[in-house]
C-alpha cells in the first residue's frame, strides 16, 4: 500500500489523547462495608465485568477515529500488478486537438481541464511532451510540467481540421524522443467527422501504429478523451467561402466578389447583418435571411483604384457555437495591366508568319484596332487586359536582367518555338529561376526548332519532351512535300477532348458548349512524359480524344505539346483560341492560391534575398529573411522562394520589406469544413480505440482518475472516511445505550425470589 500524503499519517498518533483521558480520568472506587453488602456482591461482580468490556470497546472506538481519519487524509492507494510505481519517472505525451471546432460548447475547457489534471498528478522528475494537432510537423520539445501548463493555457484553439491518424504517428515519434522508458500517450479532441479519412482507409494505419506500440519496451499506454460526448445539438452559422468572380483583378475594372453563408442549424435566421470590409474599412452593409440547413450568397461589386496587394473580408453579426467562423478573408493582387513578353523562336516580316503573331492577336486584340473611346479620364485608353511585347530568342534575357527589379518586369514570359535557353553557361536558366522567385509565370509552346534534349535539362519544365506524334495521313502528305489546304486539314488529324470544366482555367468556356472544340484539328504534337514524383503537383489542362496530353501545368509554368501557330494545329484559326488564351493568362496571373493558404501551411514569398518585417493577425511582429527554401516538396520551382511557416493563426499577415519594395499581404484561413460540428459515428470511435487497445473516456474527471490509478493505485480514502463516520455514530450509540447499567429493582428481586424458595 502507498500513500499520496505520507506525512499526514502522523496524525494517527492522536489516538493517544483518548487513551490518556481514559487512563488518567477513569473512575476510582472507595470501599465501604455495610450490613447488606453481601446481598449485592454477585450483581456488582457481574456489572463490573460488563462495564470493563464497555469501557474497552468505547476506548477502541475513540482511538480508531483519529487513526482512520489520519489514514483517509494520507490518501492510501491499493496498487495493482500493472500499476506504474509512483516513484518511477514518467513521460506524458499529451496531444491536444486545437482545431476551431474545439471552441464550440466549451470543448476546449474540458480539454484544458483534463490536461491540468493529468499534469497536476506529475512530479518534478516527470516530463511532458505537448503535441498540437495543428503543428504536427513542429520539432518535438520536452518540458517540465509547470511549463507545459503555461503553454496550454495560451492555446487559441483556432487551427485547421485535425487528422488523428497523423497525430497518432507523431505521438509514436515522440515516444522515441522521450527521456524516460515509461511513457503514456493521451489524445484529447472532439472527434469531428473530418478527423479520420473517409471510409476505412485509416484502419490499416492504426494497425501499423499498434504494431509499433507492441515493439516498444515497455509499451506505452494510450488513452482517448472525447470532449464532445456531452454536447447537445449545436447551432452554428459559417461564412463558407469568399471568392472573386474573375480570374484576375485589374485596376479600374469592375470585379464582383461573392460570399456564401451556410446555416447549420434547424432554425431559420432572419435579418442577418453582413458587412464587407475592403482593406479593413467597412464599404457595404447588407441583410439576408437563411432557411434551416441551407446556404445563401451575397455579392459585392468594386472597382479597385490602386494596384498592389489588397484584402477583402465579409463578416456576419450572429451569436452561435463558433464566433470565429462568422468572418472570412481574401487576399488578392490588383494589376495595372498584365504584361506579357513573347519570345519568338521563328520571327518573320511577313504578316501572320511569325511564331507569335496569332498569339499576340489573341492576347491584345484591341492593340491592332481602335482606341477605347468610352474610357473614362485617367483610365488606360486601351481596353486590352494584356499588353504584349515580342522579343527574339537572343534579346529577351538582356532585357529581363535590366527589368527584373523594376515595375516593368513582365508578369508572363511565353517561349514559342525557341530552340534553347541555356546556351551561355546556364545564365538564362538562372535568370528564369530568379524570375519565378519573383512570382513570375512561364508558358512554353513547342515547335520545329525546339531542341528537346536541351529543354529536358530545364528543372522547372513540368514534363519531359519526347518524340513527335503525327497522324498517318498528315505524315504521308508531309513526306510527299505537298502543302495541306485548310479544307484538307479540317478533315485530318487529332481532335481535342472538351475540358467540360474539369479544370477551373477553362470554366468560362463551358457556356459555349463542346462545339467550340469540335472544329479544332491537331496535325502533330509532342509526346510529354510526366515524372512519377511530380504527378500529384502537375495538372493536365488539355487532352486529345485519344487521351494524349496537350497541355500541363505545374505551379507557375504551363507547357503545351503543340505550337502556337498554324503549323501543328488549326487552333489559332478557330474562335475558341482568343478566349482560351486570354482565360489561360488571366487565370495564370490572377491565381490567388499563393496569397491564400490554409492556416498552418507555409506561405511562399517572392524574392530570393529580401528581408521582411511580418505582422501576424494577433498584432505581434517578427523578422523574416526570405532566403532560399523549400515549401515541403520536391518542386524545383520553390528553390528560390522564401517560405514563411509560422501561419498557425488565422487572419491577415502583412509583410513589410526592409528594402524599397511593395508590401505584401497573405491570408491564412480555416476551411469551412471545420465548422461542421458533426462527430464521428460511435462505432468508428470505438473501433479506433479498440484497434489500439486504448481506453476511451467521455469526461476529464474519469480520465484523470484512471491515469492516477494506473500510476499510483486505487485510492481508498473515500471508504475510510465512510468508516470514520460509521465509527463516530457507533461510539455515540455505544456510549448512550450499551453502557447503561441494569436497574436496582432487577438486581434486588433475584435474591428475594431465591430466598423464598427455601422456606
Amino acid at each position: 500500500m502507498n500513500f499520496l500524503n505520507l506525512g499526514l499519517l502522523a496524525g494517527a498518533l492522536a489516538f493517544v489523547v483518548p487513551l490518556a483521558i481514559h487512563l488518567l480520568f477513569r473512575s476510582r472506587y472507595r470501599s465501604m462495608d455495610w450490613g447488606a453488602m453481601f446481598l449485592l456482591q454477585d450483581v456488582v461482580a457481574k456489572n463490573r465485568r460488563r462495564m470493563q468490556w464497555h469501557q474497552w470497546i468505547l476506548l477502541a472506538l475513540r482511538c480508531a477515529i483519529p487513526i482512520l481519519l489520519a489514514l483517509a487524509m494520507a490518501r492510501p492507494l491499493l496498487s495493482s500488478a500493472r500499476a506504474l510505481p509512483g516513484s518511477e519517472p514518467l513521460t506524458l505525451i499529451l496531444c491536444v486537438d486545437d482545431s476551431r471546432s474545439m471552441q464550440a460548447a466549451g470543448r476546449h475547457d474540458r480539454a484544458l481541464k483534463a490536461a491540468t489534471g493529468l499534469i497536476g498528478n506529475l512530479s518534478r522528475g516527470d516530463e511532458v511532451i505537448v503535441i498540437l494537432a495543428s503543428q504536427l510537423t513542429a520539432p518535438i520539445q520536452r518540458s517540465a510540467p509547470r511549463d507545459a501548463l503555461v503553454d496550454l493555457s495560451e492555446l487559441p484553439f483556432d487551427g485547421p481540421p485535425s487528422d488523428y491518424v497523423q497525430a497518432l504517428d507523431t505521438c509514436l515519434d515522440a515516444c522515441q524522443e522521450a527521456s524516460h522508458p515509461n511513457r503514456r500517450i493521451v489524445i484529447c479532441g472532439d472527434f469531428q467527422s473530418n478527423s479520420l479519412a473517409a471510409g476505412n482507409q485509416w484502419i490499416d494505419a492504426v494497425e501499423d501504429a499498434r504494431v509499433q506500440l507492441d515493439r516498444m519496451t515497455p509499451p506505452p499506454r494510450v488513452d482517448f478523451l472525447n470532449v464532445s460526448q456531452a454536447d447537445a445539438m449545436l447551432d452554428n452559422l459559417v461564412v463558407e467561402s469568399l471568392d472573386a468572380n474573375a480570374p484576375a483583378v485589374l485596376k479600374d475594372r469592375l470585379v464582383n466578389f461573392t460570399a456564401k453563408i451556410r446555416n447549420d442549424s434547424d432554425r431559420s435566421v432572419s435579418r442577418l447583418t453582413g458587412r464587407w470590409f475592403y482593406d479593413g474599412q467597412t464599404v457595404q452593409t447588407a441583410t439576408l435571411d437563411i432557411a434551416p440547413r441551407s446556404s445563401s450568397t451575397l455579392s459585392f461589386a468594386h472597382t479597385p483604384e490602386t494596384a498592389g496587394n489588397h484584402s477583402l473580408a465579409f463578416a456576419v453579426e450572429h451569436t452561435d457555437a463558433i464566433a470565429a467562423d462568422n468572418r472570412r478573408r481574401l487576399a488578392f493582387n490588383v494589376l495595372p495591366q498584365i504584361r506579357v513578353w513573347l519570345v519568338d523562336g521563328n520571327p518573320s516580316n511577313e504578316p501572320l508568319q511569325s511564331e507569335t503573331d496569332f498569339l499576340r492577336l489573341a492576347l491584345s486584340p484591341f492593340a491592332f484596332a481602335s482606341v477605347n473611346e468610352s474610357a473614362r479620364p485617367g483610365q488606360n485608353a486601351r481596353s486590352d487586359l494584356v499588353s504584349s511585347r515580342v522579343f527574339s530568342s537572343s534579346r529577351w534575357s538582356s532585357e529581363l536582367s535590366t527589368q527584373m527589379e523594376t515595375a516593368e518586369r513582365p508578369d508572363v514570359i511565353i517561349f514559342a518555338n525557341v530552340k534553347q535557353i541555356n546556351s551561355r553557361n546556364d545564365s538564362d536558366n538562372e535568370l528564369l529561376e530568379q524570375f519565378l522567385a519573383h512570382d513570375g509565370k512561364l508558358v512554353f509552346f513547342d515547335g520545329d526548332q525546339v531542341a528537346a534534349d536541351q529543354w529536358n535539362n530545364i528543372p522547372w519544365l513540368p514534363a519531359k519532351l519526347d518524340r513527335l506524334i503525327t497522324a498517318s495521313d498528315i505524315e504521308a502528305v508531309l513526306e510527299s512535300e505537298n502543302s495541306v489546304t485548310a479544307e484538307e486539314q479540317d478533315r485530318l488529324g487529332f481532335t481535342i477532348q472538351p475540358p467540360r470544366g474539369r479544370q477551373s482555367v477553362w470554366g468560362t468556356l463551358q457556356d459555349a458548349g463542346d462545339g467550340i472544340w469540335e472544329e479544332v484539328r491537331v496535325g502533330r504534337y509532342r509526346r510529354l512524359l510526366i515524372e512519377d514524383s511530380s504527378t500529384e503537383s502537375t495538372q493536365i489542362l488539355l487532352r486529345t480524344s485519344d487521351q494524349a496530353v496537350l497541355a500541363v501545368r505545374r505551379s507557375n509554368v504551363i507547357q503545351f505539346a503543340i505550337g502556337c501557330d498554324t503549323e501543328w494545329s488549326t487552333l489559332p484559326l478557330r474562335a475558341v483560341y482568343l478566349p482560351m488564351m486570354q482565360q489561360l493568362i488571366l487565370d495564370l496571373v490572377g491565381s490567388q492560391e499563393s496569397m491564400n493558404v490554409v492556416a498552418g501551411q507555409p506561405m511562399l514569398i517572392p524574392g530570393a534575398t529580401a528581408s521582411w518585417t511580418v505582422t501576424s493577425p494577433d498584432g505581434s511582429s517578427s523578422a523574416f529573411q526570405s532566403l532560399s527554401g523549400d515549401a515541403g516538396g520536391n518542386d524545383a520551382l520553390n528553390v528560390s522562394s522564401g517560405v514563411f511557416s509560422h501561419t498557425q493563426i488565422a487572419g491577415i499577415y502583412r509583410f513589410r520589406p526592409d528594402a524599397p519594395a511593395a508590401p505584401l499581404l497573405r491570408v491564412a484561413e480555416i476551411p469551412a469544413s471545420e465548422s461542421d460540428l458533426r462527430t464521428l459515428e460511435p462505432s468508428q470511435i470505438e473501433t479506433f480505440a479498440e484497434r489500439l487497445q486504448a481506453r476511451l473516456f467521455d469526461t476529464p474527471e474519469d480520465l484523470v482518475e484512471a491515469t492516477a490509478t494506473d500510476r499510483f493505485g486505487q485510492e481508498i480514502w473515500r471508504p475510510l472516511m465512510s468508516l470514520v463516520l460509521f465509527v463516530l455514530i457507533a461510539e455515540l450509540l455505544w456510549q448512550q445505550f450499551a453502557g447503561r447499567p441494569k436497574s436496582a429493582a432487577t438486581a434486588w428481586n433475584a435474591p428475594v425470589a431465591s430466598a423464598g424458595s427455601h422456606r
Side-chain angles (χ1 to χ4, degrees):
M1 178 181 293
N2 298 320
F3 296 90
L4 293 181
N5 301 321
L6 186 61
L8 294 180
L9 276 179
L13 297 177
F15 83 94
V16 176
V17 176
L19 180 61
I21 293 175
H22 174 78
L23 295 176
L24 295 176
F25 297 97
R26 62 182 178 177
S27 299
R28 289 174 172 80
Y29 301 98
R30 185 175 60 179
S31 299
M32 179 180 294
D33 295 333
W34 59 290
M37 185 65 187
F38 73 96
L39 298 175
L40 300 176
Q41 288 180 351
D42 293 339
V43 177
V44 171
K46 184 177 180 180
N47 282 339
R48 181 180 295 117
R49 289 192 300 269
R50 186 171 60 84
M51 290 301 296
Q52 287 176 345
W53 279 108
H54 167 74
Q55 292 296 329
W56 283 112
I57 292 175
L58 189 61
L59 176 63
L61 290 174
R62 289 172 176 174
C63 291
I65 291 174
I67 294 175
L68 292 175
L69 184 60
L71 285 173
M73 296 180 66
R75 297 178 65 183
L77 300 168
L78 294 178
S79 301
S80 63
R82 293 189 58 186
L84 172 68
S87 59
E88 292 290 331
L90 172 71
T91 296
L92 174 63
I93 302 171
L94 180 60
C95 180
V96 179
D97 182 356
D98 60 337
S99 60
R100 175 172 285 181
S101 62
M102 290 286 287
Q103 296 183 17
R107 296 177 179 180
H108 62 294
D109 292 332
R110 296 174 210 149
L112 290 178
K113 184 177 181 180
T116 302
L118 292 172
I119 297 176
N121 286 335
L122 300 179
S123 61
R124 293 184 179 180
D126 300 329
E127 69 176 6
V128 181
I129 298 178
V130 177
I131 297 175
L132 302 182
S134 64
Q135 305 179 36
L136 296 179
T137 58
I140 296 174
Q141 295 183 350
R142 300 183 295 269
S143 60
R146 181 178 299 179
D147 297 334
L149 281 177
V150 174
D151 295 338
L152 288 171
S153 64
E154 298 175 353
L155 279 183
F157 287 94
D158 198 25
S162 302
D163 188 329
Y164 284 5
V165 174
Q166 292 185 7
L168 179 62
D169 291 340
T170 304
C171 291
L172 295 178
D173 295 338
C175 288
Q176 309 299 330
E177 303 292 333
S179 302
H180 309 307
N182 298 310
R183 296 148 295 187
R184 177 180 294 277
I185 298 174
V186 179
I187 299 178
C188 301
D190 56 1
F191 288 84
Q192 284 291 96
S193 57
N194 55 8
S195 59
L196 292 178
N200 295 324
Q201 301 176 0
W202 51 271
I203 293 182
D204 293 337
V206 173
E207 292 289 351
D208 295 339
R210 179 68 253 175
V211 173
Q212 296 183 50
L213 287 170
D214 292 338
R215 290 175 179 174
M216 298 180 187
T217 305
R221 189 97 189 224
V222 182
D223 292 326
F224 293 139
L225 173 62
N226 183 7
V227 297
S228 66
Q229 187 70 20
D231 290 348
M233 185 66 67
L234 299 177
D235 294 341
N236 192 45
L237 198 73
V238 54
V239 180
E240 189 172 13
S241 63
L242 181 60
D243 301 300
N245 298 337
V249 181
L250 300 178
K251 178 184 175 183
D252 295 328
R253 294 182 183 272
L254 186 68
V255 60
N256 289 315
F257 298 90
T258 301
K260 184 177 181 181
I261 305 94
R262 189 181 74 221
N263 182 9
D264 287 339
S265 67
D266 293 325
R267 296 178 297 178
S268 61
V269 180
S270 302
R271 301 189 62 79
L272 183 69
T273 301
R275 299 183 184 276
W276 294 90
F277 300 87
Y278 188 82
D279 288 340
Q281 302 296 322
T282 303
V283 291
Q284 184 173 307
T285 303
T287 59
L288 70 158
D289 300 331
I290 310 178
R293 302 291 174 183
S294 61
S295 301
S296 181
T297 58
L298 281 179
S299 296
F300 168 64
H302 184 70
T303 302
E305 298 180 353
T306 58
N309 288 180
H310 295 271
S311 66
L312 183 73
F314 179 77
V316 293
E317 299 176 357
H318 188 256
T319 303
D320 52 17
I322 304 177
D325 61 9
N326 293 348
R327 174 187 291 260
R328 188 160 293 274
R329 309 160 190 86
L330 176 71
F332 56 92
N333 187 37
V334 177
L335 299 171
Q337 194 177 31
I338 300 176
R339 295 178 295 273
V340 177
W341 285 9
L342 305 173
V343 182
D344 197 329
N346 186 24
S348 174
N349 294 326
E350 298 295 327
L352 300 180
Q353 295 300 312
S354 293
E355 196 74 25
T356 59
D357 284 349
F358 286 98
L359 187 57
R360 191 182 182 194
L361 280 172
L363 295 179
S364 306
F366 291 98
F368 302 91
S370 59
V371 173
N372 182 12
E373 298 179 355
S374 62
R376 66 186 185 187
Q379 181 181 354
N380 191 344
R382 299 193 180 278
S383 60
D384 285 327
L385 302 177
V386 177
S387 64
S388 58
R389 294 178 60 187
V390 179
F391 294 87
S392 64
S393 56
S394 60
R395 194 170 66 89
W396 68 269
S397 57
S398 59
E399 187 72 14
L400 181 60
S401 61
T402 60
Q403 303 290 348
M404 183 65 71
E405 303 295 337
T406 69
E408 298 301 320
R409 182 180 66 247
D411 300 303
V412 183
I413 299 178
I414 299 177
F415 292 95
N417 198 13
V418 176
K419 182 178 181 180
Q420 59 185 16
I421 64 168
N422 55 347
S423 58
R424 297 189 299 276
N425 299 324
D426 291 337
S427 60
D428 290 354
N429 187 36
E430 294 175 359
L431 185 63
L432 289 177
E433 289 186 353
Q434 184 182 359
F435 173 70
L436 289 170
H438 283 78
D439 204 27
K441 325 293 184 195
L442 294 175
V443 180
F444 172 85
F445 280 95
D446 216 311
D448 298 332
Q449 299 185 108
V450 169
D453 295 339
Q454 296 294 328
W455 280 96
N456 285 338
N457 295 326
I458 304 301
W460 44 262
L461 209 59
K464 299 297 183 182
L465 281 65
D466 197 21
R467 63 185 181 90
L468 291 175
I469 305 297
T470 309
S472 57
D473 41 5
I474 293 291
E475 184 178 3
V477 174
L478 293 176
E479 290 178 353
S480 63
E481 297 183 358
N482 293 331
S483 60
V484 181
T485 64
E487 295 180 358
E488 292 174 339
Q489 204 168 14
D490 286 344
R491 300 190 302 269
L492 303 176
F494 305 97
T495 58
I496 293 180
Q497 182 184 46
R500 295 176 182 172
R502 284 185 292 271
Q503 296 294 335
S504 60
V505 63
W506 312 122
T508 59
L509 300 179
Q510 303 314 308
D511 295 338
D514 295 345
I516 59 175
W517 302 94
E518 293 177 354
E519 298 179 352
V520 180
R521 294 293 183 273
V522 178
R524 49 182 166 170
Y525 62 88
R526 177 86 63 178
R527 183 183 178 188
L528 299 181
L529 302 178
I530 303 175
E531 297 180 354
D532 295 337
S533 59
S534 61
T535 301
E536 295 183 359
S537 60
T538 302
Q539 298 177 328
I540 298 178
L541 303 182
L542 275 182
R543 294 179 182 269
T544 63
S545 297
D546 56 355
Q547 300 301 304
V549 178
L550 288 182
V552 295
R553 176 178 179 176
R554 189 175 68 201
S555 188
N556 291 340
V557 180
I558 294 178
Q559 179 179 0
F560 280 87
I562 58 177
C564 59
D565 61 358
T566 58
E567 292 293 328
W568 288 32
S569 71
T570 63
L571 186 60
L573 302 175
R574 304 307 175 202
V576 69
Y577 191 63
L578 186 148
M580 168 187 165
M581 295 310 303
Q582 290 209 356
Q583 180 72 20
L584 182 71
I585 297 301
L586 289 174
D587 185 84
L588 187 62
V589 175
S591 176
Q592 313 296 343
E593 293 181 1
S594 61
M595 301 183 66
N596 299 273
V597 302
V598 175
Q601 293 185 353
M603 296 175 177
L604 296 183
I605 308 302
T609 58
S611 297
W612 307 83
T613 299
V614 185
T615 302
S616 300
D618 60 356
S620 62
S621 297
S622 61
F624 170 63
Q625 188 72 24
S626 180
L627 299 175
S628 297
D630 190 355
N634 298 321
D635 195 342
L637 299 178
N638 295 331
V639 295
S640 299
S641 298
V643 179
F644 182 74
S645 302
H646 303 289
T647 63
Q648 288 76 26
I649 304 176
I652 299 176
Y653 291 78
R654 304 180 187 277
F655 293 79
R656 187 177 69 253
D658 296 339
L664 299 179
L665 286 180
R666 295 293 185 267
V667 165
E669 270 294 359
I670 307 298
S673 59
E674 178 59 18
S675 298
D676 187 354
L677 298 178
R678 293 177 300 173
T679 58
L680 291 168
E681 294 293 333
S683 59
Q684 289 181 295
I685 303 176
E686 293 171 0
T687 301
F688 189 40
E690 290 173 358
R691 297 274 178 168
L692 293 168
Q693 298 180 11
R695 297 178 300 182
L696 180 62
F697 299 93
D698 297 333
T699 64
E701 294 81 4
D702 292 342
L703 172 63
V704 174
E705 182 179 356
T707 53
T709 300
D710 289 343
R711 185 173 188 186
F712 303 104
Q714 179 65 44
E715 292 192 41
I716 58 173
W717 67 270
R718 290 184 179 88
L720 286 176
M721 290 299 294
S722 300
L723 185 58
V724 170
L725 181 62
F726 173 78
V727 172
L728 285 171
I729 297 174
E731 189 270 345
L732 179 63
L733 295 177
W734 186 264
Q735 181 181 5
Q736 293 294 325
F737 301 105
R740 180 179 299 174
K742 293 183 178 180
S743 64
T746 303
W748 178 255
N749 289 336
V752 172
S754 177
S757 63
H758 292 284
R759 289 180 182 179

